Amino acid sequence: MNSATASVKPTLINLLDFDRKGLQVFFVGLGEKPFRATQLLKWIYQEGVVDFEVMTNLSKSLRQYLKDNCHIQTPEIVAEQLASDGTCKWAMQTHCGNKVETVYIPEERRATLCISSQVGCALACSFCSTAQQGFNRNLSTAEVIGQLYLAQQRLGPEHRITNVVMMGMGEPLLNFDNVVAAMNLMMDDFAFGLSKRRVTISTSGVVPAMHRLHDVCDVSMAVSLHAPNDELRNQLVPINIKYPLAELMDACRAYAQNGPRKHITFEYVMLDGINDSPQDAKMLAKLLKTVPSKVNLIPFNPFPQSQYRCSEMATILKFRDILHNAGIVTTIRKTRGEDIDAACGQLVGQVQDKSRRHLKLQAARTTPHAI
């Protein structure tokens, strides 16, 4: 793996930035046949080869060109933490010095990798630790797919990653092109070959991008909902001010008609005294009445200086039962990796904040009732 992470010239082309269509365009531009893309994908993603000289079914002149002008560069794993439940969290450093976090969650019948799409997050959801760190930039396609590439190499073939969720740091649909190219590689039979049912993108509700997504990439959809009405969601998930619930539900209905699972998973974090009352559950059931839905209730995972507490389990169970009785399949997410801050909403990495979010938060905390 050293050759994939070694220091290289900044002008070199990172071949991990291309999905198969992108590689076909690249090779045709060199006067090569489009099938070279398939050959390269198999070398990189199935054989784990990053040395162009080893790619012997490529011509010698092409190998030399790739050696002189291209490279295969992933982020670098700089820290690893293993939780008591087997969850593993890696801090991965990008070329600019920022760090993002990637989480591996092993279970009896599947193994899931939670991947980041941005350095930080610009959406400022008030209950999410990642959002409090501010925002630096979008990850490149190479930095997104590189998380899966590195994790699978670290785990070895005996621990195959079966599912990927784009639920790490950042809002994936605000990094649309790079994330879609990476998901194409995840599902490409000549790369990772994951089923479209096993690749899930999670969004806070970037409605135009949701409409665009189902035209270009057929993956499962999860929506970070967290509130049953616009007034509360505007506070918890500020992007709702731009794309309110009526627009979001329309986008969900449209996506479910064409998506691989024919339903949308709605994520709902349980916040004590904020969004967890029986009335909230009834409002949520009414909101989702015409949307093919599955609801995933997420016990809130605390982080330093958070203003929220997790709902009591009895409250969560009552909330679940109300949704069940309304005919909505509802599950309670099992918290994983909490002892290494790898649970939902706890990923922070290391963000060189360009949004000045940390300064705004400091000012808010010194002003009563500012948050």
Side-chain angles (χ1 to χ4, degrees):
M1 196 58 223
N2 291 338
S3 57
T5 56
S7 177
V8 292
K9 299 176 183 178
T11 55
L12 295 181
I13 299 168
N14 192 349
L15 295 178
L16 295 188
D17 276 326
F18 300 116
D19 59 10
R20 184 164 19 144
K21 288 184 179 179
L23 281 175
Q24 287 173 344
V25 171
F26 172 75
F27 280 117
V28 169
L30 298 180
E32 296 284 342
K33 298 294 185 182
F35 70 81
R36 296 297 185 196
T38 299
Q39 291 177 318
L40 189 72
L41 288 177
K42 292 172 72 175
W43 279 116
I44 296 173
Y45 296 107
Q46 296 185 355
E47 301 297 331
V49 171
V50 297
D51 183 354
F52 298 121
E53 287 297 332
V54 178
M55 302 178 184
T56 51
N57 57 353
L58 306 182
S59 68
K60 188 172 182 180
S61 60
L62 178 55
R63 280 180 276 157
Q64 187 61 49
Y65 178 88
L66 296 177
K67 183 177 179 180
D68 292 341
N69 296 280
C70 304
H71 67 129
I72 298 166
Q73 185 181 37
T74 66
E76 179 185 1
I77 294 178
V78 293
E80 179 178 282
Q81 291 177 276
L82 185 63
S84 57
D85 62 10
T87 299
C88 187
K89 181 175 75 172
W90 294 289
M92 298 195 183
Q93 183 168 297
T94 66
H95 71 276
C96 62
N98 286 293
K99 297 182 181 69
V100 297
E101 294 187 335
T102 306
V103 178
Y104 170 68
I105 308 165
E107 298 176 89
E108 185 177 349
R109 295 185 179 181
R110 65 181 181 180
T112 302
L113 192 70
C114 181
I115 288 179
S116 295
S117 58
Q118 297 179 311
V119 182
C121 185
L123 294 190
C125 298
S126 60
F127 54 86
C128 178
S129 182
T130 306
Q132 313 311 307
Q133 308 305 304
F135 175 76
N136 183 273
R137 65 174 176 85
N138 287 332
L139 294 178
S140 67
T141 298
E143 290 167 335
V144 176
I145 198 65
Q147 295 171 66
L148 176 55
Y149 185 88
L150 279 178
Q152 189 60 77
Q153 285 216 335
R154 191 81 157 199
L155 294 166
E158 66 275 16
H159 299 291
R160 178 172 167 74
I161 294 167
T162 63
N163 294 63
V164 171
V165 291
M166 298 297 308
M167 296 182 184
M169 298 173 64
E171 165 54 62
L173 291 185
L174 290 180
N175 185 15
F176 190 92
D177 291 337
N178 292 340
V179 165
V180 166
M183 292 191 300
N184 287 340
L185 288 167
M186 294 172 194
M187 297 182 291
D188 195 306
D189 288 341
F190 297 104
F192 289 101
L194 296 177
S195 164
K196 61 187 179 182
R197 291 175 174 267
R198 293 179 176 269
V199 177
T200 301
I201 190 166
S202 176
T203 179
S204 295
V206 187
V207 168
M210 292 172 67
H211 286 300
R212 183 183 171 198
L213 182 66
H214 73 67
D215 292 331
V216 299
C217 188
D218 195 10
V219 294
S220 298
M221 171 74 73
V223 172
S224 295
L225 190 60
H226 311 305
N229 59 67
D230 283 320
E231 182 181 5
L232 180 56
R233 196 165 193 266
N234 288 346
Q235 299 174 38
L236 298 178
V237 188
I239 197 174
N240 192 75
I241 298 170
K242 189 172 185 179
Y243 305 116
L245 284 172
E247 294 182 28
L248 178 58
M249 292 301 108
D250 284 344
C252 290
R253 278 187 286 269
Y255 196 89
Q257 290 177 0
N258 301 293
R261 290 189 179 276
K262 305 303 180 186
H263 72 258
I264 305 295
T265 297
F266 290 96
E267 299 160 326
Y268 195 98
V269 65
M270 299 298 294
L271 303 171
D272 184 32
I274 303 294
N275 65 351
D276 62 349
S277 71
Q279 183 62 27
D280 290 324
K282 293 173 184 176
M283 290 175 63
L284 181 59
K286 183 178 180 180
L287 177 69
L288 302 182
K289 186 176 181 180
T290 62
V291 183
S293 305
K294 175 183 176 182
V295 173
N296 193 352
L297 302 179
I298 306 171
F300 172 66
N301 298 301
F303 56 87
Q305 299 178 322
S306 169
Q307 60 181 308
Y308 300 114
R309 298 188 306 271
C310 181
S311 305
E312 297 289 338
M313 183 50 66
T315 300
I316 297 175
L317 292 171
K318 186 173 183 179
F319 198 98
R320 179 201 63 185
D321 290 345
I322 291 172
L323 294 178
H324 268 315
N325 292 336
I328 298 173
V329 175
T330 306
T331 58
I332 299 172
R333 180 178 295 178
K334 181 180 179 181
T335 298
R336 298 293 301 270
E338 188 175 15
D339 53 336
I340 57 170
D341 291 334
C344 181
Q346 291 186 317
L347 303 187
V348 293
Q350 181 176 313
V351 179
Q352 297 167 13
D353 180 27
K354 291 183 178 179
S355 69
R356 306 181 73 81
R357 178 88 44 79
H358 64 293
L359 297 179
K360 297 173 187 175
L361 285 169
Q362 287 175 8
R365 287 175 183 135
T366 61
T367 304
H369 311 299
I371 299 181

